[in-house]
Amino acid sequence: VNEMKILRRSNGKAVVISIDNVHDFTKYVLHSSSPVLVYFWADSNGISRLIGSRLEEKVASRCGDIVMVSVNIDWAGEVALEWNVSVVPLIINFKNGSNGSRIMVKGNTSDEELSSFIENAC
């Protein structure tokens, strides 16, 4: 089991992190004081990497008002099972430990759609 990895910082705050276990999911998502976008993806899904980098850029540009947690289901299958994730890429927003809306992301998902989802998550 790996530990949480910081993938990107903004204004000194970790805004994009990667986790691979239920313990870290609980700590960094369910107990977060900030809104969290959880991005479920897989190495085997080419669209996942493309969408993930676009999402990271958008979250980082918000200067820390939202956190993105990246979950590679190839390494964190137990987390995916816990949240009924069977198809990727998928984003779920969390606020105050409660999950909100989900968006199944496709290759043609526009930047405006991603921005709108992030804005609504805050």
Side-chain angles (χ1 to χ4, degrees):
V1 175
N2 295 323
E3 293 192 15
M4 178 275 292
K5 294 178 191 156
I6 297 172
L7 303 178
R8 184 170 283 196
R9 292 181 181 273
S10 179
N11 292 337
K13 181 179 178 183
V15 293
V16 180
I17 64 173
S18 174
I19 62 163
D20 66 2
N21 62 70
V22 171
H23 175 269
D24 282 349
F25 189 91
T26 300
K27 181 177 180 179
Y28 294 105
V29 177
L30 301 181
H31 293 157
S32 176
S33 60
S34 299
V36 180
L37 287 182
V38 180
Y39 182 60
F40 291 94
W41 64 284
D43 287 324
S44 58
N45 183 298
I47 294 169
S48 288
R49 289 190 184 275
L50 174 66
I51 297 294
S53 62
R54 288 172 52 203
L55 199 56
E56 283 183 27
E57 288 291 325
K58 292 190 169 302
V59 168
S61 72
R62 296 188 58 96
C63 301
D65 69 341
I66 190 164
V67 175
M68 175 179 159
V69 173
S70 176
V71 180
N72 181 336
I73 66 167
D74 293 332
W75 298 102
E78 64 182 3
V79 176
L81 285 173
E82 177 115 1
W83 292 97
N84 299 317
V85 175
S86 58
V87 179
V88 292
L90 175 73
I91 307 167
I92 305 175
N93 70 25
F94 286 80
K95 194 179 240 181
N96 300 319
S98 297
N99 65 320
S101 57
R102 293 177 174 229
I103 182 174
M104 178 61 63
V105 190
K106 299 180 177 128
N108 63 353
T109 300
S110 70
D111 281 340
E112 291 76 23
E113 288 174 279
L114 290 176
S115 293
S116 177
F117 189 79
I118 293 168
E119 188 63 37
N120 291 334
C122 291

